[in-house]
Amino acid sequence: MTTPPALLIAGHGTRDEAGAEAFRDFVRELGARHPELPVAGGFIELSPPPLGEAVTELVERGVRRFAAVPLMLVSAGHAKGDIPAALAREQERHPGISYTYGRPLGPHPALLNVLERRLDEALGGGGAGRRPGDRADVTVLLVGRGSTDPDANAEVHKAARLLWEGRGYAGVETAFVSLAAPDVPSGLDRCVRLGARRIVVLPYFLFTGILPDRVRLQTEGWAAAHPEVEVRSADVIGPEPELLDLVWERYTEAVEGDLRMNCDSCVYRIALPGFEDKVGLPQQPHFHPDDDGHHHGHGHHHGAHSHVH
């Protein structure tokens, strides 16, 4: 019987230790769920263990084939360029290994259901116990990480639209906590201009961390200055069973070759206005600061990613 490929989880990394430990706990839970195959996880930056160390761990356990799944909601520079480049580097370091690369997680119906649950919790209900009409005066502000990649920011807008469809909210608007406009205060201002009187700010993040904390602080600051508007903060997605199931689904896709990554609006393939210079850039690894012997830089490192079709 052929041994199934191992599972490698690739995370972004955070300076928040609780968020990093939530990722590591998640990887351990996946391993406990699937004792039939080796499971490891690592970060691109900011947190230990680095992705290369996770690959080495698998190799030392006798793994020659693995499927890598990015534990990320949108396909931005990390998922498109940094992780593939890092994996290519690991293949050079460990001759004889082979891997397939899965796609990011969102926006998936299972995650939208978790987001809906977080909204119900913020509104004080338990989901099924709330009447559909209770949502008719609720405007949701979905806050993404933010990226210099317009395709990644557009994916957050897509998630917002899918969250709005059929759920009865007055509206679902979008904002970003870094690198992209509108920011959280501007997003809340927009909701009010659209007539919102009850707003729930919903962080589009998997785990706790510096940026979700910033979303909550900015929300609280804006709410204090606008006492006439009811504003509530929802929690992050968290290590829910739906997330564990979804990562396994992405693993299965990668192993079976059923990959459907979005390339139609990618700056590395298509000349989008203002981003024409990115088309066809050579791919360079995004080195982890803890990866000894390599220099870390955030400059000219995103390149022509190698999507598997």
Side-chain angles (χ1 to χ4, degrees):
M1 183 176 178
T2 304
T3 303
L7 170 57
L8 175 68
I9 308 297
H12 179 279
T14 174
R15 291 184 177 89
D16 181 78
E17 177 54 30
E21 187 58 25
F23 171 90
R24 293 188 287 260
D25 282 343
F26 186 82
V27 172
R28 285 190 284 266
E29 177 63 23
L30 271 171
R33 270 191 170 208
H34 302 282
E36 74 279 6
L37 80 163
V39 177
F43 295 102
I44 289 297
E45 61 180 352
L46 302 176
S47 313
L51 193 62
E53 188 175 300
V55 173
T56 299
E57 175 191 335
L58 290 176
V59 171
E60 289 176 348
R61 293 167 67 181
V63 168
R64 309 305 289 168
R65 297 186 306 135
F66 63 88
V69 175
L71 199 70
M72 299 173 183
L73 288 168
V74 301
S75 186
H78 287 297
K80 289 177 176 179
D82 297 330
I83 296 173
L87 293 175
R89 185 187 69 208
E90 293 310 313
Q91 196 168 33
E92 292 179 0
R93 286 183 178 177
H94 304 284
I97 66 169
S98 62
Y99 62 89
T100 55
Y101 184 44
R103 57 185 176 131
L105 305 176
H108 190 281
L111 295 184
L112 296 173
N113 289 340
V114 178
L115 292 173
E116 182 179 10
R117 196 155 69 237
R118 295 291 178 257
L119 289 170
D120 282 339
E121 292 165 357
L123 290 167
R130 293 187 59 83
R131 301 187 306 277
D134 291 343
R135 298 174 172 180
D137 64 346
V138 173
T139 298
V140 178
L141 183 64
L142 184 70
V143 182
R145 175 182 294 271
S147 173
T148 56
D149 184 336
D151 182 37
N153 296 330
E155 287 188 35
V156 180
H157 281 262
K158 181 177 181 179
R161 179 69 195 194
L162 290 171
L163 182 63
W164 180 79
E165 291 277 359
R167 288 182 171 84
Y169 302 111
V172 180
E173 297 298 315
T174 53
F176 301 94
V177 73
S178 67
L179 298 176
D183 59 15
V184 174
S186 298
L188 287 164
D189 289 342
R190 173 177 168 80
C191 289
V192 171
R193 287 198 298 272
L194 291 171
R197 288 297 174 265
R198 298 181 69 208
I199 305 172
V200 179
V201 177
L202 177 63
Y204 194 44
F205 287 82
L206 293 174
F207 302 127
T208 57
I210 301 294
L211 294 182
D213 288 348
R214 187 182 301 168
V215 173
R216 186 175 289 269
L217 286 173
Q218 291 180 354
T219 299
E220 292 172 353
W222 187 95
H226 300 80
E228 73 282 3
V229 183
E230 179 186 341
V231 184
R232 301 190 182 196
S233 292
D235 287 331
V236 295
I237 291 170
E240 295 292 286
E242 290 94 334
L243 183 59
L244 288 156
D245 291 341
L246 177 53
V247 170
W248 185 252
E249 182 178 322
R250 291 290 187 257
Y251 165 81
T252 303
E253 288 175 355
V255 170
E256 296 178 354
D258 181 24
L259 294 176
R260 293 160 287 179
M261 193 171 285
N262 172 30
C263 291
D264 295 335
S265 53
C266 173
V267 291
Y268 304 120
R269 293 179 182 271
I270 307 298
L272 297 181
F275 297 86
E276 294 88 351
D277 61 328
K278 289 184 177 288
V279 176
L281 281 180
Q283 184 170 280
Q284 299 294 330
H286 184 122
F287 291 115
H288 190 288
D290 296 332
D291 193 359
D292 293 338
H294 296 280
H295 298 290
H296 179 83
H298 279 274
H300 192 70
H301 67 271
H302 296 321
H305 53 296
S306 54
H307 286 174
V308 181
H309 293 276

